[in-house]
Amino acid sequence: VARAPYVLATISHKGGTGRTTAALMLAWCWAASGRKVTFIDADPIRSASLLALDENHRCTWPNVQFASGMDSLAAPLTGEIMVIDCPNLLDCANARPVLEESDGIILTCLPDPLSIRTVPAAASAIEAAKAVNPRLELLGILISIYNERDSVHNAMLARLRDAHQDLLLEPVIPYQPEVRDWPLHPGTAPPPGPARGAYAALTETLDPWIAVARAV
Ligand SMILES: Nc1ncnc2c1ncn2[C@@H]1O[C@H](COP(=O)(O)OP(=O)(O)O)[C@@H](O)[C@H]1O
Ligand SMILES: [Mg+2]
C-alpha cells in the first residue's frame, strides 16, 4: 500500500512574504532530488500557477504534478510530498481547508519590523487550526528574503536568532534579483543561485521531519 504523502503548506498572515516562491522552490528542490511531488496552488490569486505553468498551462518540471484550485485538495492525495501554496490566513474560507489537510506548515516572514509584528497573529490562527487538525505542526518561521547588506535585516535576524532560535528555520533565504525576475519566464525552473541553494539546503533540514511523520 502506498503511503500517504507528507502535506506541507507555506502560510503567512501578511502578503508579499515569499510564501508562493518558497512553496515553488521547495517543490522544485525536492523533485530535483528525486522525490515525487504534488504541488497545489490553493491561493485564489494564482501566483504559483502564473509562475510555474508554461504557455500551454502545463508544469513541465520533472517529478512534479501541478494542480490549481481548492478542488484539487479534495482529490486523493498522491506523491511523497505535497506542497501547498496556502492563501493568506486572513482569507479564512480558503485557508481553513488547507490547514485542515496539512501535516506541516512553514510561516514565511520578512526580516523587517512590521512583518515580524504580524507573527503572533499568525500563531493564533495556527493554534485555532490545531483544534481542528491536531496533526498540524509548525515546522518553523522562514526568513524568505534576507538582504545581508540591510542593517535592519541584520538586526532583526540577530534578534530572532536570539529569542526564537527553536522556531527559526535555517538556512535563511537570501535576496536574489533573478528570483524576483523569475516570473518573466513562466514555466521555467527556478533560477540557479544562492536562493535556490538555500532552499535545497532547507529541504534537507525538513527531510527528517517528513521521514518521522510518514513512518507513523
Ligand atoms: N529570495 C528572493 N529574492 C528576491 N526576490 C524574492 C525572493 N523570494 C521572493 N521574492 C520576490 O518577492 C515578491 C513576493 O514573493 P511571493 O512569493 O509572491 O510572496 P507571497 O506569496 O507571500 O505574496 C515576489 O516579487 C517574489 O518574486
Ligand atoms: Mg503568493
Side-chain angles (χ1 to χ4, degrees):
V1 183
R3 242 185 227 145
Y6 184 86
V7 182
L8 171 72
T10 56
I11 62 158
S12 74
H13 208 246
K14 189 179 177 296
T17 61
R19 200 168 66 228
T20 298
T21 304
L24 289 170
M25 283 279 197
L26 288 171
W28 189 88
C29 289
W30 266 312
S33 69
R35 313 292 287 265
K36 299 279 176 233
V37 178
T38 302
F39 188 96
I40 296 188
D41 179 4
D43 189 339
I45 294 170
R46 295 284 179 271
S47 302
S49 303
L50 291 171
L51 221 160
L53 302 184
D54 65 14
E55 68 278 12
N56 301 314
H57 309 287
R58 288 187 189 284
C59 177
T60 55
W61 299 352
N63 292 332
V64 176
Q65 285 237 38
F66 194 101
S68 308
M70 290 315 257
D71 295 350
S72 26
L73 266 181
L77 307 184
T78 56
E80 296 171 64
I81 303 175
M82 205 160 148
V83 181
I84 307 180
D85 185 17
C86 184
N88 190 308
L89 291 176
L90 291 172
D91 179 0
C92 294
N94 286 308
R96 195 180 299 122
V98 175
L99 296 175
E100 287 176 9
E101 198 66 56
S102 299
D103 299 303
I105 43 182
I106 290 178
L107 179 62
T108 54
C109 186
L110 305 181
D112 66 51
L114 182 57
S115 289
I116 286 168
R117 292 191 71 173
T118 67
V119 167
S124 335
I126 295 165
E127 284 313 310
K130 272 189 184 166
V132 184
N133 172 10
R135 214 172 63 243
L136 189 69
E137 188 181 14
L138 174 63
L139 302 181
I141 299 173
L142 178 67
I143 300 301
S144 49
I145 314 178
Y146 164 63
N147 183 350
E148 63 179 6
R149 287 197 288 265
D150 184 322
S151 60
V152 173
H153 279 198
N154 281 309
M156 288 292 136
L157 185 57
R159 196 195 287 183
L160 279 170
R161 283 199 171 121
D162 217 37
H164 301 290
Q165 199 178 23
D166 48 328
L167 268 182
L168 201 62
L169 286 168
E170 299 280 0
V172 301
I173 309 299
Y175 172 80
Q176 187 191 326
E178 295 81 7
V179 175
R180 183 202 52 205
D181 299 339
W182 182 20
L184 289 171
H185 314 284
T188 59
R196 196 177 86 182
Y199 277 110
L202 182 61
T203 60
E204 288 172 22
T205 304
L206 299 172
D207 276 339
W209 260 300
I210 294 178
V212 169
R214 292 189 86 218
V216 294

